Amino acid sequence: MAFSPSRNLLAWTDTAGDLTRWSDPIPSSAPDPVKNSAGTNSVTVPVKRKATPTLFDDDNVAVARPEKRGGDVDLDEDLGIDLDNDDWILDDLDGALNDDGGEAKRLAAEGGVKEMVSVTKAQPAFQPGSTPMENKKRYLAYNMVGVIEVTDQDTHHIVNVEFHDRSLRKSYHFTDHFRYDIASLGERGALYACQPEAEHAAHVIYKPYGTWASQSEWTYELPAGTRVLGIAAGGPPPSKSLRDKSDVDGGGQGNVVLATSDGELVFLTGSGIERACLSMPGDFVTMVAGSEWVFIVSRDGSTTMDGSQNLTGRLIKFDDFCILQKDALPIPKRHTLKWVGITEEGAPAMYDSSGVLHLMPRFRIPLSATWMRVLDTNKLERREGKHESYWPVGLAGEAFMCLILKGRQAHPGFPRPLIQELAIRLPFKRTDPKEAPLEEHFARETMLLDILRDGLGEDELTTDALAARELALDKELIQLIQHACKTDRLARALDLARLLHLTPSFDMAIKVAGFYHLIGLQEKLEALKADRAADDRLEGLRDRRRGIADDFAPAPALRLPGAAGGGDARPKAFQDFRPPPALHRPGLERALPSRSGSGRGNTDTQMTDDVTVYGGSTQDDGWGTPSPDGKRKRPLDEEPPRARSPGLDTGVKRRAIGESASTARPAAAPQPRSNPFARKPAADSNNRNPFAARSADANKSVHKSESFFVKVDAAEADRGKQPKQSKAKPKEKEKKETVRQTTLFGLPPAQPAEKKAAGRKKKAGTPAGEESQDTAVRAESQTDTQTDVPMEESQEAETEGGGDTQVDEPSQVPNEVESQVQEPDAMDAEDPGTPIEWPDSPEPRTRELEAVA
Amino acid sequence: MALPPSLRTSISPPELQLVASEQLVEIVPLVSMERTAFISGAYGPLRPPTKCKVPLWMASNLKLKKKCHIVPPPWLNVDFLQERLLQETTDPSFSEMPFRFAEVAKILLDVAPDDLQNPDRVRGLLKDIREARQAKSREGLSKLDHNELMLPNLCAMEINEIRPFFVRGMAVLTQLTREPPQEDGMDQG
């Protein structure tokens, strides 16, 4: 038997198989069963009514009706109506009084209707910590920094800002004619936004708390018609008081983010510089800004049919506007997001209408953090027997700061209630009185430690505070181990020992095992300890952080091998707009005191070293390219200091000198300038020297490598004669090996001659060395293309330089002095910190001088 | 001390108040401060808006400088006191109150009435409770005998009130009942 859900109609079947329909079983005098009566405004009632009568009336009606149908209809009707009416009342009472289950129950009841009728109502955008206007007062923001209260004065608002820490920031109030209706209280400034009204467009105003500069406050106007949906002000917490104007830390004024109705997310700095304008994915819901990032909650798509709000949270970094985390918010169905915030440690947190607080502890690991349930307020002991709800304010360490609202209050009122602290507690289900609390505490503390440890970055291993907390945690673990040993659960004890942080704690665990005569466990623990001692846990963690950082390092842009580099290094004729190379006038040079000490000595030897190389480089065009990579690396480091500008002026002249040498020996190889340092630079085209333009031909580098081999070969050949040379670095020895191979590959027979040439060159002494420097510069300018360098060019360069030769050549000694003077200078200026390790062949220079003499 | 000899037998209420101000109370600081060592111990750090436990003397000092809000102890509110007053008036025994409630309540009512809810009512209730208890303690004195006086849940201030009387009264009673066991006492002496 059933009532029709849509009409005043009752239908039933009896055991004989007859189906009977009874229209209008409920007289019009009684409340209509289908349409809402005036007395009921709940949507749920009609739905329920359909079901309840069947349950209640079955016996009465179904049994009674067949017989009584004739004349007793009225009675039955009355009976049915009475029951119905009772139900009406019950239903009403249910809806009105029985609100304990609150929202959930009502929503559950509505669920049936909604599924048929419409989708879940989408949660509107809100600012965390704000309340609606009640009695002409409202909170615009209430967080761990302070409170913004607004009082409506009809024609205008009074905004009153108070801070929890009055020693850090100064409270203030102002009269507001724009009716700011959303605000955000950041660590370094307060941000207000108003909506467009008849006479003005929407704008945002940022008021930094304390500043050393004038005019720190700024407004940001939005185009007419655009609304501001949400704003957030973030920034690092101030290390000093912001009340004192004279001393400010370097943290700036933070960052500002606004979400507009145009679907934009505008990022500004605390001083009003527009940094970026992103598009909002989906509908904006809320956001909150931390020191390094902003946590934005949006609805991607729409709510689902079954009641989920379908919210997604994103952490977007302020420095590069990249997504740090992106994850759906774990809000149960038919519940809404109530609050988002940032803990004192900087982790994002959220609270929903079901009363569960979530935290994202490992938020620093890009795109892989998870939400953890850290507190279920429905299970708090203090809530037993009371009717209260919690209005979140913030999260500091283990304390959940909130306002406790009595009864059905949804928002805090005035005067401002005191902030209460609730300890967070992971919702673990174990109830063992001894172990459960320890386990829970261990998990909670580990979670908090992870946040801190992730924040250490890639260099630090640990801090004192961290170490102290780890030690305390280890003590708890030892207690747990001891308990496990006592109850003979050895696998558990071993598992616990694996969680220990510090190596000395293992000794304690071993002692405990020994105390209970658990030899097997003791041995296992010792093995575990040895294992732990072998690889440092802290270093492992740091390496992991590094690994993650590397994984997420920006991918370099695609670079095509030939095209990119070669083109700009050597501009085409008539397309070179660079200034001509400076003329070097030693006479006009400033007299600089020569720097004494090892630095200078080094450069000298280095230069002479170059010279030797230079001599050798003659004919090796063919096999220069395959020079082993191993060699390249070292000079790379050394290059930068040498390659810079000081080389420039000397370079011009030097080239000339080089040419003079080559002209003297026309037979000698065309590219005498090769220099061991020039080799590497060719490889990295990045720090090309723009001034080195003309010296286009970096081909030297190509040849140079061979020249070096040759030199080394030569050195090996007359090792007996030159004991000093043989003393060369291990690196050089390595090279020798490689050299041997190359020789096999096809070393030209003319070595001794070259050697001589080299010797001759040495006479040029320092100038040649300088020239090598010059080549380095040029080589750098040249791109990585070693292979396809036209020889002619290099020769051209030489001949071109040849004109100067005569001028410079006589003044060898001055040059030398100069080079000495300039080189250390250059190095100092550019990179005093870098230890410069030149290939060490200490004496050759003096030797050469002797030769000259 | 400049007090007359009759008063020297017991501590004065201000002294009791001083003693009570070593008790810890919770405050919500309005300024931040690192953990600081005082003679009686190290307190802090103060990190607004996190609560912190500090001795009453420090709390009242900070409060007078408007640098904190004092969180009233759970017994210092109208509901609790009303319930205790009811117990006090219906039950012949003393109700359970914190040992130094009178002193702490006085300090808090003096220093931080704005942090209490309905301080006037609290003050009135405290007075009523005090009177009820006073009556009981006087009545209890009538049962004084020479070797013991059991008044459980009597608080510091009340003990102090009746101390001069019962110390002397007990001495007199002891003298009066001393005759029979005198030899024993002499033996022991």
Side-chain angles (χ1 to χ4, degrees), chain A residues 97-138:
Chain A
L97 303 181
N98 202 12
D99 239 4
D100 277 7
E103 198 101 336
K105 202 162 183 182
R106 196 175 55 77
L107 283 166
E110 276 173 9
V113 179
K114 280 203 161 163
E115 271 176 40
M116 287 184 292
V117 180
S118 69
V119 289
T120 319
K121 192 163 177 262
Q123 166 174 22
F126 69 99
Q127 282 294 115
S130 70
T131 69
M133 191 73 88
E134 251 171 33
N135 299 329
K136 301 211 160 192
K137 279 191 150 230
R138 67 178 290 195

Side-chain angles (χ1 to χ4, degrees), chain A residues 48-182:
Chain A
K48 283 194 172 174
R49 264 206 76 190
K50 159 186 80 177
T52 38
T54 30
L55 291 174
F56 280 82
D57 298 347
D58 236 8
D59 296 337
N60 299 343
V61 186
V63 178
R65 282 244 171 103
E67 299 102 39
K68 289 185 185 173
R69 210 178 342 150
D72 282 353
V73 172
D74 284 344
L75 185 120
D76 261 359
E77 267 178 22
D78 285 346
L79 186 62
I81 290 157
D82 281 345
L83 285 169
D84 274 354
N85 278 343
D86 281 348
D87 270 354
W88 276 107
I89 293 160
L90 282 176
D91 271 351
D92 281 354
L93 286 178
D94 263 352
L97 303 181
N98 202 12
D99 239 4
D100 277 7
E103 198 101 336
K105 202 162 183 182
R106 196 175 55 77
L107 283 166
E110 276 173 9
V113 179
K114 280 203 161 163
E115 271 176 40
M116 287 184 292
V117 180
S118 69
V119 289
T120 319
K121 192 163 177 262
Q123 166 174 22
F126 69 99
Q127 282 294 115
S130 70
T131 69
M133 191 73 88
E134 251 171 33
N135 299 329
K136 301 211 160 192
K137 279 191 150 230
R138 67 178 290 195
Y139 294 106
L140 277 185
Y142 198 141
N143 61 16
M144 293 292 279
V145 175
V147 183
I148 304 179
E149 300 168 343
V150 171
T151 313
D152 190 355
Q153 305 274 27
D154 294 329
T155 54
H156 61 272
H157 286 177
I158 301 283
V159 179
N160 184 30
V161 185
E162 276 190 39
F163 301 101
H164 299 309
D165 188 348
R166 294 187 191 164
S167 58
L168 211 56
R169 308 176 182 92
K170 196 166 186 284
S171 301
Y172 64 93
H173 59 89
F174 63 94
T175 310
D176 152 33
H177 295 284
F178 295 101
R179 294 172 199 277
Y180 295 119
D181 67 342
I182 48 182

Side-chain angles (χ1 to χ4, degrees), chain A residues 26 130 177 188 201 389 406 466 514 566 583 607 684 744 769 814:
Chain A
I26 295 170
S130 70
H177 295 284
R188 286 171 181 267
S389 57
K406 302 275 184 230
L466 265 182
L583 273 185
M607 286 186 290
D684 68 335
L744 286 176

Side-chain angles (χ1 to χ4, degrees), chain B residues 124-189:
Chain B
L125 281 168
L126 280 169
K127 210 167 179 184
D128 291 350
I129 291 176
R130 180 191 128 87
E131 274 163 15
R133 291 173 74 103
Q134 207 169 23
K136 278 189 212 173
S137 67
R138 286 186 182 149
E139 197 185 323
L141 280 180
S142 65
K143 294 177 202 140
L144 190 72
D145 70 14
H146 69 281
N147 51 21
E148 66 164 13
L149 177 67
M150 261 262 286
L151 292 172
N153 290 330
L154 202 62
C155 293
M157 193 63 91
E158 291 147 6
I159 294 174
N160 196 43
E161 249 170 14
I162 60 170
R163 180 180 289 138
F165 175 77
F166 91 72
V167 168
R168 292 181 74 183
M170 226 167 193
V172 171
L173 280 172
T174 315
Q175 264 180 354
L176 288 176
T177 51
R178 197 143 61 175
E179 264 89 353
Q182 198 166 16
E183 289 99 51
D184 297 327
M186 293 304 280
D187 285 351
Q188 281 166 9

Side-chain angles (χ1 to χ4, degrees), chain A residues 292 360-365 369 447-458 466 541 544-545 548:
Chain A
E292 306 134 72
M360 189 186 264
R362 309 301 300 267
F363 67 97
R364 286 186 201 277
I365 304 178
M447 180 188 78
L448 295 174
L449 284 179
D450 278 340
I451 300 180
L452 297 178
R453 216 180 282 124
D454 283 345
L456 281 180
E458 296 172 31
L466 265 182
L541 288 171
R544 180 153 174 253
R545 290 197 293 271
I548 290 168

